[in-house]
Amino acid sequence: MSFKSVDEQMALILRGVVDVHVEAELRKKLEKSYQTNTPLRIKAGFDPTAPDLHVGHSVVITKMRQFQLLGHHILFLIGDFTGRIGDPTGRNVTRKALTAADVAENAETYKAQVFKILDPELTEVVFNNTWISKLGADGMVNLASKYTVARMMEREDFKQRFKSGQSISVHEFLYPLVQAYDSVELKVDVELGGTDQLFNLLMGRTLMKEYGQAPQCVLTTPLLEGLDARLEDGKLVGRKMSKSYGNTIGFNDAPVDMFGKVMSISDDLMWRFYDLLSTEPTATLKARRADVARGALHPMEAKTMLGKELVTRYHNAELAEEAATSWKRVFSQRQIPEEMPELEVSLDAGPVGLVQALRDAGLVSSGGEAKRLVKQGGVSIDGVKVQDVTHRISSPGRFVIKAGKKRFLRLIAS
């Protein structure tokens, strides 16, 4: 068990959390755990749909790791039964269920990726088909009797689908019930999930009471903004991290790419990343933020620390150092300024022409000047010279465009 006090544990556990049900209960559980040197049982469930995981997905897993570092018992639940039902969360149509073969194959993919964050030696991997398949017809009917249709229809996505005339299959009502029953079977103290899972997680509290157990505490984590998020009117705004927006840091990104992406984010987004992704102590992060605020630490150095932490987690410390050294060398050679104009463009209507982008961003006064500059070799994209005046940007991403010797543009294509 951790030697950290309950107050220290609470500070780390609640960092970056959106919903807490119920904070007083969580403190009592931690106090008992601390006094008896007995770890709490922490659960998070994942249906093995095998997406390409990025750090936006890792927010919940990082919170699990924080609990793990505090000495608590982690239950990484793979929904090999629930995955075959299909989670209706956020859906306006019935989700296509996975086959047993799909689930088995995808479960291995999940394990390979999540253990880049969690310690496999300290993580108990469980599959909910183990106990759900044993319920049988009688057990499933009994489980269904624990919750009313009226309460189920309070769920926002069900409510909206019903109002709009979209069909809701009866088996979709089973999903939150089965997920909640997992907590009963595992005698969970705390369950974690994204904010979109709040209804399901709270059902776990209800069902545990029905079965005579102490209800689990529930913690939800937010959806992480993508690399292009910025501060506007004192508020961080931006689309969620998504591969379709080209604003992600992937689990399997190369070390130098991962590090470079961290270095490209705004200073304000950096602290959001620290809060949601870092496993460093809260006191350490508060001190680092204070150092930046008073000028004792440059924001770029703070980002370097964050970049090294993430690359170390997904690769190793040696590669993190190499990535930082490589990035600094390239950054210095290119003399790329930390701040530069930005231009957001949509690819919905097709690829974006380089000449037009230079004009729209005001880096040149006319299309003719842009074409001459390109032909003369005075324009580069991410350090690569471009001399084709018809060059178009067709894939989403963030690109540094240099025009001449001192004009820079960060093009954000989505």
Side-chain angles (χ1 to χ4, degrees):
M1 279 293 296
S2 168
F3 292 101
K4 292 186 179 296
S5 68
V6 172
D7 285 341
E8 290 174 314
Q9 291 189 62
M10 286 287 287
L12 180 59
I13 290 167
L14 296 183
R15 190 172 79 200
V17 165
V18 177
D19 301 293
V20 185
H21 297 269
V22 174
E23 186 171 338
E25 292 180 16
L26 176 61
R27 178 173 286 277
K28 287 183 179 179
K29 287 178 183 287
L30 288 170
E31 287 173 348
K32 183 177 180 181
S33 167
Y34 186 79
Q35 293 165 2
T36 62
N37 198 37
T38 304
L40 296 181
R41 294 172 64 80
I42 314 299
K43 165 200 163 192
F46 300 84
D47 288 344
T49 52
D52 295 323
L53 294 182
H54 53 67
V55 298
H57 295 125
S58 78
V59 176
V60 170
I61 304 172
T62 298
K63 185 60 64 178
M64 295 174 74
R65 179 58 177 158
Q66 290 172 352
F67 272 103
Q68 195 169 62
L69 291 171
L70 292 172
H72 299 293
H73 184 71
I74 299 302
L75 295 157
F76 179 76
L77 185 142
I78 294 178
D80 56 340
F81 185 92
T82 43
R84 288 155 62 187
I85 298 175
D87 185 1
T89 300
R91 305 290 289 188
N92 57 15
V93 294
T94 301
R95 185 187 294 270
K96 181 181 177 180
L98 298 173
T99 67
D102 290 334
V103 168
E105 180 180 350
N106 295 346
E108 292 304 313
T109 302
Y110 263 113
K111 286 195 291 184
Q113 295 180 78
V114 299
F115 287 140
K116 290 188 174 186
I117 301 176
L118 299 177
D119 184 338
E121 299 298 321
L122 300 176
T123 303
E124 182 180 355
V125 179
V126 292
F127 296 81
N128 62 5
N129 189 55
T130 305
W131 49 85
I132 299 298
S133 61
K134 296 177 182 177
L135 281 177
D138 289 345
M140 195 61 75
V141 169
N142 181 57
L143 177 60
S145 72
K146 304 293 185 181
Y147 216 76
T148 67
V149 171
R151 288 292 305 277
M152 196 71 74
M153 291 303 296
E154 292 175 0
R155 182 175 169 145
E156 191 61 30
D157 38 27
F158 285 153
K159 187 189 304 181
Q160 292 303 319
R161 283 165 64 181
F162 183 76
K163 285 182 178 179
S164 63
Q166 294 282 346
S167 65
I168 304 172
S169 297
V170 173
H171 81 283
E172 293 183 86
F173 284 168
L174 293 177
Y175 187 93
L177 280 168
V178 170
Q179 179 174 317
Y181 185 75
D182 292 340
S183 294
V184 173
E185 182 69 27
L186 295 170
K187 297 178 175 58
V188 172
D189 291 303
V190 180
E191 184 169 15
L192 310 175
T195 51
D196 57 346
Q197 291 291 316
L198 182 59
F199 182 94
N200 293 348
L201 305 183
L202 291 177
M203 188 177 287
R205 283 178 58 84
T206 300
L207 209 58
M208 292 180 82
K209 293 176 185 178
E210 289 285 335
Y211 282 87
Q213 296 181 7
Q216 66 184 13
C217 291
V218 165
L219 302 180
T220 68
T221 55
L223 299 177
L224 182 64
E225 293 83 2
L227 300 176
D228 48 356
R230 289 292 182 272
L231 195 70
E232 292 183 6
D233 299 325
K235 182 180 179 181
L236 189 65
V237 297
R239 298 168 298 191
K240 70 176 183 178
M241 186 171 286
S242 171
K243 187 177 180 182
S244 63
Y245 297 145
N247 62 0
T248 66
I249 298 176
F251 278 27
N252 294 324
D253 279 353
V256 70
D257 291 338
M258 184 176 289
F259 186 86
K261 287 179 179 180
V262 173
M263 298 304 291
S264 76
I265 64 178
S266 69
D267 294 349
D268 301 290
L269 184 59
M270 169 181 66
W271 297 118
R272 174 76 158 173
F273 272 44
Y274 262 125
D275 285 341
L276 298 183
L277 301 179
S278 178
T279 56
E280 292 197 70
T282 302
T284 299
L285 298 188
K286 286 182 67 175
R288 188 168 301 165
R289 192 163 190 163
D291 285 344
V292 170
R294 63 188 178 87
L297 180 69
H298 195 282
M300 187 176 292
E301 288 304 313
K303 284 181 198 172
T304 297
M305 295 175 188
L306 176 62
K308 286 183 180 180
E309 180 181 354
L310 293 184
V311 175
T312 298
R313 179 180 307 164
Y314 294 104
H315 296 282
N316 59 55
E318 182 178 355
L319 289 175
E321 289 295 335
E322 289 178 4
T325 300
S326 175
W327 184 88
K328 287 180 180 178
R329 182 175 62 252
V330 173
F331 184 90
S332 175
Q333 289 173 349
R334 293 180 186 171
Q335 297 182 331
I336 299 175
E338 187 174 1
E339 300 294 333
M340 66 182 74
E342 294 186 351
L343 176 66
E344 294 191 25
V345 296
S346 173
L347 300 175
D348 291 344
V352 175
L354 175 59
V355 168
Q356 187 63 43
L358 292 172
R359 285 191 59 189
D360 291 348
L363 266 65
V364 293
S365 58
S366 66
E369 180 188 352
K371 289 178 181 178
R372 286 194 299 273
L373 198 58
V374 170
K375 288 179 180 179
Q376 293 167 2
V379 177
S380 64
I381 300 178
D382 289 339
V384 179
K385 189 179 296 184
V386 178
Q387 291 183 272
D388 179 4
V389 295
T390 66
H391 182 84
R392 292 173 177 270
I393 296 167
S394 58
S395 60
R398 297 163 60 84
F399 309 93
V400 174
I401 298 175
K402 183 180 180 182
K405 294 183 177 181
K406 296 182 179 181
R407 288 169 286 174
F408 290 88
L409 166 70
R410 180 172 286 114
L411 182 73
I412 303 170
S414 60

